[in-house]
Amino acid sequence: MLTKRIIPCIDVDLDDDGNPAVYTGVNFEDLKHTGDPVEMAKRYNEAGADEFVFLDITASAEGRATMLDTVSRVADEVFIPLTVGGGIRTREDIKETLRAGADKVSINTAALRNPDLVNEGARAFGSQCIVISVDARRRYDEAGEHYVEVDGESCWFECTVKGGREGTDVDVVEWAAEAESRGAGELFVNSIDADGTKDGYDIPLTKAVCDEVSTPVIASSGCGGPEDMYEVFTEANADAGLAASIFHFDEYSIRDVKEYLDERDVPVRL
C-alpha cells in the first residue's frame, strides 16, 4: 500500500521592503508575517517532511514572475521533492522553475486560461512534474456540474484564479478530470472556505475530486491537527495532506502527525 504523504507548505510574498517572507492567513485574507522562507525550508527538511511546497501567493495576481532566486536558495536546503507554484504562465516558466531546483511546478490560473499548457508541460517535462492546483470555493446556485450535500444544502465547487480573487464559473470536479486527461501528474486541492480555519479539511470537496480521478490528490486548507489528516485520508481517500499553520507555530510536529496516523493504521513513512 502506498504511504500517505505529509507536506508542509509556505505561502511566500514580498514584504514592505521587497524581501521574500512567509505569510499565513484565513480564507486567503488577513495575511500575517510568519518567517523566512529559506530558514523554514531547512527546518522542514530536517523535521521529516515527505515533500515541501513553496507558493508565491501574489505572483499571478500582480502579473510578475515567480521569485526564482528564493526558490533556488530553498532548493539548496531541501533534499525532498520540492513543488513550486505562483506566476507560472508558460512552458518557459516551467523550465526555468525546474532549473531553479523545483522537482514539480504547481499551476492554477495559467492552466485554466490555457489548458493546452498542461499538455505541453507534460510532454516536455513529464507528467510527474506537472501539478494542477485548484483554489475552490463553494457555490449554492445552479451553475455547476457536480453537486454534493453539505449541511443539508446542495452545493458545487468553483475554480477561482489570482489567489482566489476571481471566479471562473468552472466546476472543480470537471476541471480535475480534464486536467488529468491532459497529463497532469497530481492535483493540489485548496479550499478557500476552509483556509486557515483549523476546522478540518473540506471533506466533501476533497472526496468529490478523489472519487472522480485516479491521479494523486493533495488535500489542502483547514488542517487543525493529526485528527484532520486522519479524516481526509480515511474519509476522502486523499493521497497527501498539506498543512501550514500547525507546523509553522509548533502546535504539532511532523513526527507527531505521523505517529498519530501510524497508530491508527494509516500507512506513513516514519
Side-chain angles (χ1 to χ4, degrees):
M1 183 180 296
L2 291 175
T3 57
K4 302 294 187 179
R5 291 168 288 147
I6 309 303
I7 305 175
C9 172
I10 55 172
D11 290 341
V12 184
D13 196 1
L14 299 175
D15 64 17
D16 292 339
D17 297 320
N19 298 313
V22 179
Y23 289 84
T24 55
V26 178
N27 305 132
F28 284 31
E29 297 178 347
D30 301 324
L31 299 178
K32 297 179 181 178
H33 181 270
T34 307
D36 176 77
V38 178
E39 288 303 313
M40 293 182 78
K42 181 178 180 180
R43 173 178 138 200
Y44 287 129
N45 181 74
E46 295 170 349
D50 295 306
E51 298 187 14
F52 187 65
V53 171
F54 176 113
L55 298 179
D56 185 336
I57 56 175
T58 58
S60 292
E62 295 175 359
R64 60 172 173 79
T66 311
M67 45 185 88
L68 292 183
D69 286 347
T70 306
V71 169
S72 182
R73 291 167 56 216
V74 165
D76 286 343
E77 297 293 346
V78 298
F79 303 96
I80 51 179
L82 169 64
T83 299
V84 174
I88 297 170
R89 302 175 184 83
T90 66
R91 175 175 159 174
E92 185 66 18
D93 290 339
I94 297 172
K95 183 176 78 172
E96 291 303 315
T97 305
L98 295 173
R99 181 176 289 173
D103 298 285
K104 312 175 194 178
V105 296
S106 173
I107 312 170
N108 179 7
T109 301
L112 278 162
R113 290 180 171 169
N114 175 25
D116 287 341
L117 180 61
V118 184
N119 306 66
E120 294 169 11
R123 280 197 302 267
F125 308 105
S127 289
Q128 77 282 354
C129 293
I130 307 301
V131 180
I132 295 304
S133 175
V134 292
D135 293 338
R137 66 183 175 196
R138 295 178 183 180
R139 282 182 51 173
Y140 294 88
D141 55 32
E142 298 180 356
E145 298 287 339
H146 291 261
Y147 285 82
V148 298
E149 201 77 14
V150 178
D151 299 327
E153 291 188 80
S154 182
C155 75
W156 64 283
F157 302 99
E158 178 191 26
C159 294
T160 67
V161 295
K162 294 188 175 181
R165 294 170 179 81
E166 292 182 10
T168 63
D169 291 325
V170 176
D171 188 295
V172 166
V173 179
E174 286 286 297
W175 171 232
E178 179 179 347
E180 178 181 61
S181 72
R182 288 177 174 272
E186 200 160 40
L187 298 168
F188 181 16
V189 181
N190 312 293
S191 168
I192 294 176
D193 302 287
D195 179 67
T197 63
K198 297 184 183 178
D199 291 334
Y201 295 97
D202 190 326
I203 299 298
L205 165 65
T206 310
K207 187 176 188 309
V209 175
C210 289
D211 286 350
E212 183 70 18
V213 301
S214 57
T215 300
V217 173
I218 303 170
S220 174
S221 308
C223 184
E227 64 282 356
D228 294 328
M229 291 268 190
Y230 178 80
E231 182 182 43
V232 83
F233 289 145
T234 58
E235 295 190 19
N237 200 32
D239 298 274
L242 182 143
S245 296
I246 65 166
F247 297 141
H248 294 348
F249 300 117
D250 296 319
E251 296 170 20
Y252 297 94
S253 69
I254 291 170
R255 175 170 288 278
D256 290 337
V257 172
K258 289 190 173 185
E259 288 180 349
Y260 179 95
L261 295 169
D262 181 61
E263 289 168 1
R264 287 156 182 79
D265 297 322
V266 175
V268 291
R269 183 179 64 84
L270 293 172

